[in-house]
Amino acid sequence: MNRLCPLVLEHQIPAFLRYCISACIMVVCAVLEMALQMPTGSSGYFVLLPGVFLSGLIFDRGSGIFAAAIAVGVAAYISYAGASGLDYLAPNVLFAITAAGTATVAEFQIDPTPRSRGAEMDGKLTEAAQ
């Protein structure tokens, strides 16, 4: 996983922009999910989870949790077809737990320590050069 660290976007991107990009990723996943649901009629949420994982992996610092909240909202909207009680609540609660777990795993995948060490070493080198 540490080999993927250089591919992760640096956190010089403002928080608002990170959340907007995460929302755009989730909108694409939600549209794909709705397009898959139309012909089949069944609501499977498997297309939403890669968006949650991708948002958490690329942007960490809460973007994965934000994407999970969007995914849970989309799943609740998609699955509501007049169902009530346990028929509506059980799948949505299970998906919320799965999305939160996926976001948490994605948020903690990249270890920030190598970046800190690199920045620390750069600072020591510039101090030594002066």
Side-chain angles (χ1 to χ4, degrees):
M1 204 59 176
N2 287 335
R3 290 183 183 172
L4 294 177
C5 194
L7 298 176
V8 175
L9 297 176
E10 293 296 323
H11 298 294
Q12 297 168 353
I13 298 173
F16 177 74
L17 190 58
R18 287 194 314 251
Y19 288 124
C20 285
I21 294 171
S22 293
C24 289
I25 290 170
M26 291 311 300
V27 165
V28 168
C29 290
V31 168
L32 287 172
E33 181 65 43
M34 288 180 193
L36 287 172
Q37 184 184 5
M38 283 181 171
T40 61
S42 65
S43 58
Y45 309 129
F46 63 92
V47 178
L48 297 173
L49 289 177
V52 172
F53 189 74
L54 187 66
S55 295
L57 189 64
I58 292 176
F59 297 115
D60 67 354
R61 294 188 185 174
S63 297
I65 304 294
F66 178 68
I70 291 173
V72 169
V74 167
Y77 176 75
I78 289 174
S79 67
Y80 184 73
S84 61
L86 200 57
D87 292 337
Y88 176 73
L89 192 61
N92 288 319
V93 168
L94 290 174
F95 178 72
I97 292 169
T98 304
T102 302
T104 304
V105 166
E107 293 275 337
F108 293 114
Q109 278 298 315
I110 301 296
D111 183 23
T113 310
R115 290 186 205 155
S116 323
R117 286 186 194 149
E120 185 178 297
M121 291 303 291
D122 288 342
K124 287 182 182 177
L125 290 176
T126 55
E127 288 175 10
Q130 293 175 357

